Coordinates of all heavy atoms in Angstrom, one line a residue:
P238 N 47.6 26.4 -30.2 CA 48.6 25.4 -30.6 C 49.2 24.7 -29.5 O 49.7 23.5 -29.7 CB 49.5 26.3 -31.3 CG 49.4 27.7 -30.8 CD 47.9 27.8 -30.6
D239 N 49.1 25.1 -28.3 CA 49.8 24.4 -27.1 C 48.6 23.7 -26.3 O 48.9 23.2 -25.2 CB 50.5 25.4 -26.2 CG 51.6 26.2 -26.9 OD1 52.3 25.5 -27.7 OD2 51.9 27.3 -26.6
R240 N 47.6 23.5 -27.0 CA 46.4 22.8 -26.3 C 46.8 21.3 -26.0 O 47.8 20.8 -26.6 CB 45.2 22.8 -27.2 CG 45.3 22.1 -28.5 CD 44.1 22.2 -29.3 NE 44.2 21.4 -30.5 CZ 44.7 21.9 -31.7 NH1 45.3 23.1 -31.7 NH2 44.9 21.1 -32.8
E241 N 46.0 20.6 -25.1 CA 46.4 19.3 -24.6 C 46.1 18.2 -25.7 O 46.5 17.1 -25.6 CB 45.6 19.0 -23.3 CG 45.9 19.9 -22.1 CD 45.2 19.5 -20.9 OE1 45.3 18.4 -20.5 OE2 44.5 20.4 -20.3
G242 N 45.2 18.7 -26.7 CA 44.8 17.6 -27.7 C 43.6 18.1 -28.5 O 43.5 19.3 -28.6
D243 N 42.9 17.3 -29.2 CA 41.8 17.6 -30.0 C 40.4 17.3 -29.3 O 40.4 16.5 -28.3 CB 41.8 16.8 -31.3 CG 43.1 17.2 -32.1 OD1 43.4 18.3 -32.1 OD2 43.6 16.1 -32.7
W244 N 39.4 18.1 -29.7 CA 38.1 18.0 -28.9 C 37.0 17.4 -29.8 O 37.0 17.6 -31.1 CB 37.7 19.5 -28.6 CG 38.6 20.1 -27.6 CD1 39.7 21.0 -27.8 CD2 38.5 19.9 -26.2 NE1 40.2 21.3 -26.6 CE2 39.6 20.7 -25.6 CE3 37.7 19.2 -25.4 CZ2 39.8 20.8 -24.2 CZ3 38.0 19.2 -23.9 CH2 39.0 20.0 -23.4
L245 N 36.1 16.8 -29.2 CA 34.9 16.4 -29.8 C 33.8 16.6 -28.8 O 33.9 16.3 -27.6 CB 34.9 14.8 -30.1 CG 33.7 14.2 -30.7 CD1 34.0 13.0 -31.6 CD2 32.6 13.8 -29.7
L246 N 32.8 17.4 -29.3 CA 31.7 17.9 -28.4 C 30.4 17.3 -28.8 O 30.0 17.2 -30.0 CB 31.6 19.4 -28.4 CG 32.6 20.2 -27.5 CD1 34.0 20.0 -27.9 CD2 32.2 21.6 -27.4
V247 N 29.5 17.0 -27.9 CA 28.2 16.4 -28.1 C 27.2 17.3 -27.5 O 27.2 17.7 -26.3 CB 28.2 15.0 -27.5 CG1 26.6 14.4 -27.6 CG2 29.1 14.0 -28.0
P248 N 26.1 17.7 -28.2 CA 25.1 18.6 -27.7 C 24.1 17.9 -26.8 O 23.8 16.7 -27.1 CB 24.4 19.2 -29.0 CG 24.6 18.0 -30.0 CD 25.9 17.4 -29.7
T249 N 23.7 18.4 -25.7 CA 22.7 17.8 -24.9 C 22.0 19.0 -24.1 O 22.3 20.1 -24.4 CB 23.4 16.8 -23.8 OG1 22.4 16.1 -23.1 CG2 24.4 17.5 -23.0
W250 N 21.2 18.6 -23.1 CA 20.5 19.6 -22.4 C 20.5 19.3 -20.9 O 20.3 18.2 -20.6 CB 19.1 19.9 -22.9 CG 19.1 20.5 -24.2 CD1 19.3 19.9 -25.5 CD2 18.8 21.9 -24.4 NE1 19.3 20.8 -26.5 CE2 18.9 22.1 -25.9 CE3 18.4 23.0 -23.6 CZ2 18.7 23.3 -26.5 CZ3 18.2 24.2 -24.3 CH2 18.4 24.4 -25.7
A251 N 20.7 20.2 -20.0 CA 20.7 20.0 -18.6 C 20.1 21.3 -18.0 O 20.3 22.4 -18.4 CB 22.1 19.8 -18.0
N252 N 19.3 21.1 -17.0 CA 18.6 22.3 -16.2 C 17.9 23.1 -17.2 O 17.8 24.3 -17.2 CB 19.6 23.0 -15.5 CG 20.2 22.3 -14.4 OD1 21.1 21.4 -14.6 ND2 19.8 22.5 -13.1
R253 N 17.3 22.4 -18.3 CA 16.6 23.2 -19.4 C 17.5 24.2 -20.1 O 17.0 25.2 -20.7 CB 15.4 23.8 -18.9 CG 14.4 22.9 -18.1 CD 13.8 21.9 -19.0 NE 12.7 21.2 -18.4 CZ 12.3 19.9 -18.7 NH1 13.1 19.3 -19.5 NH2 11.3 19.5 -18.1
M254 N 18.8 24.0 -20.1 CA 19.7 24.9 -20.7 C 20.6 24.2 -21.7 O 20.9 22.9 -21.6 CB 20.6 25.5 -19.7 CG 19.8 26.1 -18.5 SD 20.9 26.6 -17.1 CE 21.8 28.1 -17.7
P255 N 21.0 24.9 -22.8 CA 21.9 24.2 -23.8 C 23.2 23.8 -23.2 O 23.8 24.6 -22.4 CB 22.1 25.2 -24.9 CG 21.7 26.6 -24.1 CD 20.7 26.3 -23.2
T256 N 23.6 22.6 -23.5 CA 24.8 22.0 -22.8 C 25.7 21.3 -23.8 O 25.2 20.7 -24.7 CB 24.4 21.1 -21.8 OG1 23.5 21.8 -20.8 CG2 25.6 20.5 -20.9
A257 N 27.0 21.4 -23.7 CA 27.9 20.7 -24.5 C 28.8 19.8 -23.6 O 29.5 20.2 -22.7 CB 28.9 21.7 -25.2
A258 N 28.8 18.5 -24.0 CA 29.6 17.5 -23.4 C 30.9 17.4 -24.2 O 30.8 17.0 -25.4 CB 28.9 16.1 -23.3
S259 N 32.1 17.6 -23.5 CA 33.3 17.7 -24.3 C 34.1 16.5 -24.0 O 34.4 16.1 -22.8 CB 34.2 18.9 -23.9 OG 33.5 20.1 -24.3
Y260 N 34.6 15.8 -25.1 CA 35.6 14.7 -25.0 C 37.0 15.2 -25.6 O 37.0 15.9 -26.5 CB 35.2 13.6 -25.9 CG 33.9 12.9 -25.5 CD1 32.6 13.5 -25.7 CD2 34.0 11.7 -24.8 CE1 31.5 12.8 -25.3 CE2 32.8 11.0 -24.3 CZ 31.6 11.6 -24.6 OH 30.4 11.0 -24.1
L261 N 38.0 14.9 -24.8 CA 39.4 15.3 -25.2 C 40.1 14.1 -25.7 O 40.2 13.1 -24.9 CB 40.0 16.0 -24.0 CG 41.5 16.4 -24.3 CD1 41.7 17.4 -25.4 CD2 42.1 16.9 -22.9
R262 N 40.8 14.1 -26.9 CA 41.8 13.1 -27.3 C 43.2 13.7 -27.1 O 43.5 14.6 -27.9 CB 41.5 12.7 -28.7 CG 42.5 11.5 -29.1 CD 42.1 11.1 -30.5 NE 42.3 12.2 -31.5 CZ 41.9 12.1 -32.7 NH1 41.3 11.0 -33.2 NH2 42.1 13.2 -33.5
R263 N 43.9 13.4 -26.1 CA 45.2 13.9 -25.8 C 46.2 13.5 -26.8 O 46.0 12.4 -27.5 CB 45.7 13.5 -24.4 CG 44.8 14.0 -23.3 CD 45.2 13.7 -21.9 NE 44.4 14.2 -20.8 CZ 44.3 15.4 -20.4 NH1 45.2 16.3 -20.8 NH2 43.5 15.8 -19.5
H264 N 47.3 14.2 -26.9 CA 48.3 13.9 -27.9 C 48.8 12.4 -27.7 O 49.1 12.0 -26.5 CB 49.4 14.9 -27.8 CG 49.0 16.3 -28.1 ND1 48.4 16.6 -29.3 CD2 49.1 17.4 -27.5 CE1 48.1 17.9 -29.3 NE2 48.5 18.3 -28.2
G265 N 48.8 11.6 -28.7 CA 49.4 10.2 -28.5 C 48.3 9.2 -28.2 O 48.5 8.0 -28.3
D266 N 47.0 9.7 -27.8 CA 46.0 8.8 -27.5 C 45.1 8.5 -28.7 O 45.2 9.3 -29.7 CB 45.1 9.4 -26.4 CG 44.2 8.4 -25.7 OD1 44.1 7.3 -26.2 OD2 43.5 8.8 -24.7
T267 N 44.4 7.4 -28.8 CA 43.6 7.2 -29.9 C 42.1 7.3 -29.6 O 41.2 7.1 -30.5 CB 43.8 5.7 -30.4 OG1 43.6 4.8 -29.3 CG2 45.3 5.6 -30.9
V268 N 41.7 7.6 -28.4 CA 40.4 7.7 -27.9 C 40.1 9.1 -27.3 O 40.9 9.6 -26.7 CB 40.2 6.6 -26.8 CG1 38.7 6.6 -26.3 CG2 40.3 5.1 -27.4
F269 N 38.8 9.5 -27.6 CA 38.3 10.8 -27.0 C 37.8 10.4 -25.6 O 37.0 9.5 -25.5 CB 37.3 11.4 -27.8 CG 37.7 12.0 -29.1 CD1 37.8 11.4 -30.3 CD2 38.1 13.4 -29.0 CE1 38.2 12.0 -31.4 CE2 38.7 14.1 -30.1 CZ 38.7 13.4 -31.3
R270 N 38.2 11.0 -24.5 CA 37.7 10.6 -23.2 C 37.0 11.8 -22.6 O 37.2 13.0 -22.8 CB 38.9 10.3 -22.3 CG 39.8 9.1 -22.9 CD 40.9 8.8 -22.0 NE 41.8 7.9 -22.8 CZ 41.6 6.5 -22.8 NH1 40.5 6.0 -22.3 NH2 42.5 5.8 -23.5
A271 N 35.9 11.5 -21.8 CA 35.1 12.5 -21.2 C 36.0 13.5 -20.5 O 36.8 13.1 -19.6 CB 34.0 11.8 -20.2
S272 N 35.7 14.8 -20.6 CA 36.6 15.9 -20.0 C 35.7 16.8 -19.3 O 36.1 17.0 -18.1 CB 37.3 16.6 -21.2 OG 38.1 17.7 -20.6
K273 N 34.7 17.4 -19.8 CA 34.0 18.4 -19.1 C 32.6 18.5 -19.6 O 32.2 18.2 -20.8 CB 34.7 19.7 -19.1 CG 34.9 20.3 -20.4 CD 35.8 21.6 -20.4 CE 36.0 22.2 -21.7 NZ 34.8 23.0 -22.3
L274 N 31.8 19.2 -19.0 CA 30.4 19.6 -19.3 C 30.2 21.0 -19.1 O 30.2 21.6 -18.1 CB 29.4 18.8 -18.4 CG 27.9 18.8 -18.9 CD1 27.7 17.7 -20.1 CD2 26.9 18.4 -17.7
D275 N 29.9 21.7 -20.3 CA 29.6 23.1 -20.2 C 28.1 23.5 -20.4 O 27.5 23.2 -21.4 CB 30.4 23.8 -21.4 CG 31.9 23.8 -21.2 OD1 32.3 24.1 -20.0 OD2 32.6 23.6 -22.1
V276 N 27.6 24.0 -19.3 CA 26.1 24.4 -19.4 C 26.1 25.9 -19.6 O 26.8 26.7 -18.9 CB 25.4 24.2 -18.0 CG1 23.9 24.5 -18.2 CG2 25.5 22.7 -17.6
L277 N 25.5 26.3 -20.7 CA 25.4 27.7 -21.2 C 24.2 28.4 -20.9 O 23.1 28.0 -21.0 CB 25.6 27.7 -22.8 CG 26.6 26.8 -23.4 CD1 26.6 26.9 -25.0 CD2 28.0 27.1 -22.8
R278 N 24.4 29.6 -20.4 CA 23.2 30.6 -20.2 C 23.3 31.6 -21.3 O 24.3 32.3 -21.4 CB 23.3 31.3 -18.8 CG 22.1 32.2 -18.7 CD 21.9 32.7 -17.2 NE 23.0 33.5 -16.7 CZ 23.2 34.8 -17.0 NH1 22.2 35.5 -17.7 NH2 24.2 35.5 -16.5
V279 N 22.3 31.7 -22.1 CA 22.2 32.7 -23.1 C 21.3 33.9 -22.8 O 20.3 33.7 -22.3 CB 21.7 32.0 -24.4 CG1 21.6 33.0 -25.7 CG2 22.6 30.8 -24.8
E280 N 21.9 35.0 -23.2 CA 21.1 36.3 -22.9 C 21.5 37.4 -24.0 O 22.6 37.5 -24.2 CB 21.4 36.8 -21.5 CG 20.4 37.8 -21.1 CD 20.6 38.2 -19.6 OE1 21.4 37.6 -18.8 OE2 19.8 39.1 -19.1
D281 N 20.4 37.9 -24.6 CA 20.6 38.9 -25.6 C 21.5 38.3 -26.7 O 22.4 39.0 -27.3 CB 21.3 40.2 -25.1 CG 20.4 40.9 -24.0 OD1 19.2 40.8 -24.1 OD2 21.0 41.5 -23.1
D282 N 21.2 37.1 -27.1 CA 21.8 36.5 -28.3 C 23.3 36.3 -28.1 O 24.1 36.2 -29.1 CB 21.5 37.2 -29.6 CG 20.1 37.1 -29.9 OD1 19.4 36.1 -29.6 OD2 19.6 37.9 -30.8
R283 N 23.7 36.2 -26.8 CA 25.2 35.9 -26.6 C 25.2 34.9 -25.4 O 24.3 34.8 -24.6 CB 25.9 37.2 -26.2 CG 26.2 38.1 -27.3 CD 27.2 37.6 -28.3 NE 27.7 38.6 -29.3 CZ 27.1 38.7 -30.5 NH1 25.9 37.9 -30.8 NH2 27.5 39.6 -31.4
I284 N 26.4 34.2 -25.4 CA 26.6 33.3 -24.2 C 27.0 34.2 -23.1 O 28.0 34.8 -23.1 CB 27.6 32.2 -24.5 CG1 27.2 31.3 -25.7 CG2 27.9 31.4 -23.3 CD1 28.2 30.3 -26.2
A285 N 26.2 34.3 -22.0 CA 26.4 35.2 -20.9 C 27.2 34.5 -19.7 O 27.8 35.1 -18.9 CB 25.2 35.8 -20.4
E286 N 27.0 33.2 -19.7 CA 27.5 32.5 -18.6 C 27.9 31.0 -19.0 O 27.0 30.3 -19.7 CB 26.6 32.5 -17.3 CG 27.3 31.9 -16.0 CD 26.4 32.2 -14.8 OE1 25.4 32.9 -14.9 OE2 27.0 31.8 -13.7
I287 N 28.9 30.4 -18.5 CA 29.2 29.0 -18.7 C 29.6 28.4 -17.4 O 30.5 28.9 -16.7 CB 30.6 28.8 -19.7 CG1 30.3 29.5 -21.1 CG2 30.9 27.4 -19.9 CD1 31.5 29.5 -21.9
T288 N 28.9 27.4 -17.0 CA 29.1 26.6 -15.8 C 29.7 25.3 -16.2 O 29.1 24.6 -16.9 CB 27.9 26.5 -14.9 OG1 27.2 27.7 -14.7 CG2 28.2 25.9 -13.6
T289 N 30.9 25.0 -15.8 CA 31.6 23.9 -16.2 C 31.8 22.9 -15.2 O 32.1 23.1 -14.0 CB 33.1 24.2 -16.7 OG1 33.0 25.1 -17.7 CG2 33.9 23.1 -17.2
F290 N 31.4 21.6 -15.5 CA 31.4 20.5 -14.6 C 32.3 19.5 -14.9 O 32.6 19.4 -16.2 CB 30.0 19.9 -14.3 CG 28.9 20.9 -13.8 CD1 28.0 21.5 -14.7 CD2 28.8 21.2 -12.5 CE1 27.1 22.4 -14.2 CE2 27.9 22.0 -11.9 CZ 27.0 22.7 -12.9
G291 N 32.7 18.6 -14.1 CA 33.6 17.5 -14.5 C 33.0 16.3 -15.2 O 31.8 16.2 -15.3
P292 N 33.8 15.4 -15.6 CA 33.3 14.2 -16.4 C 32.5 13.2 -15.6 O 31.8 12.3 -16.2 CB 34.5 13.5 -16.8 CG 35.6 13.9 -15.9 CD 35.2 15.3 -15.5
S293 N 32.4 13.3 -14.3 CA 31.5 12.5 -13.5 C 30.1 12.6 -13.8 O 29.3 11.8 -13.4 CB 31.8 12.7 -12.0 OG 31.4 14.0 -11.6
T294 N 29.7 13.6 -14.5 CA 28.3 14.0 -14.7 C 27.8 13.3 -16.0 O 26.6 13.2 -16.3 CB 28.0 15.5 -15.0 OG1 28.9 15.9 -16.0 CG2 28.3 16.2 -13.7
F295 N 28.8 12.7 -16.8 CA 28.5 12.2 -18.1 C 27.4 11.0 -18.0 O 26.4 10.9 -18.8 CB 29.7 11.7 -18.9 CG 30.3 12.8 -19.6 CD1 30.6 14.0 -19.0 CD2 30.7 12.7 -21.0 CE1 31.2 15.1 -19.7 CE2 31.3 13.8 -21.6 CZ 31.6 14.9 -21.0

Side-chain angles (χ1 to χ4, degrees):
D239 295 329
R240 64 184 183 275
E241 296 180 58
D243 296 320
W244 294 98
L245 182 148
L246 277 67
V247 176
T249 185
W250 289 77
N252 296 75
R253 304 298 194 209
M254 304 170 75
T256 301
S259 296
Y260 292 82
L261 175 65
R262 183 177 60 190
R263 297 181 183 277
H264 300 303
D266 199 352
T267 59
V268 176
F269 286 93
R270 304 183 188 279
S272 176
K273 63 188 178 73
L274 191 80
D275 290 317
V276 183
L277 313 180
R278 178 169 66 82
V279 174
E280 193 167 0
D281 297 329
D282 290 339
R283 287 287 186 274
I284 297 174
E286 187 170 0
I287 302 173
T288 308
T289 301
F290 300 98
S293 62
T294 58
F295 277 49

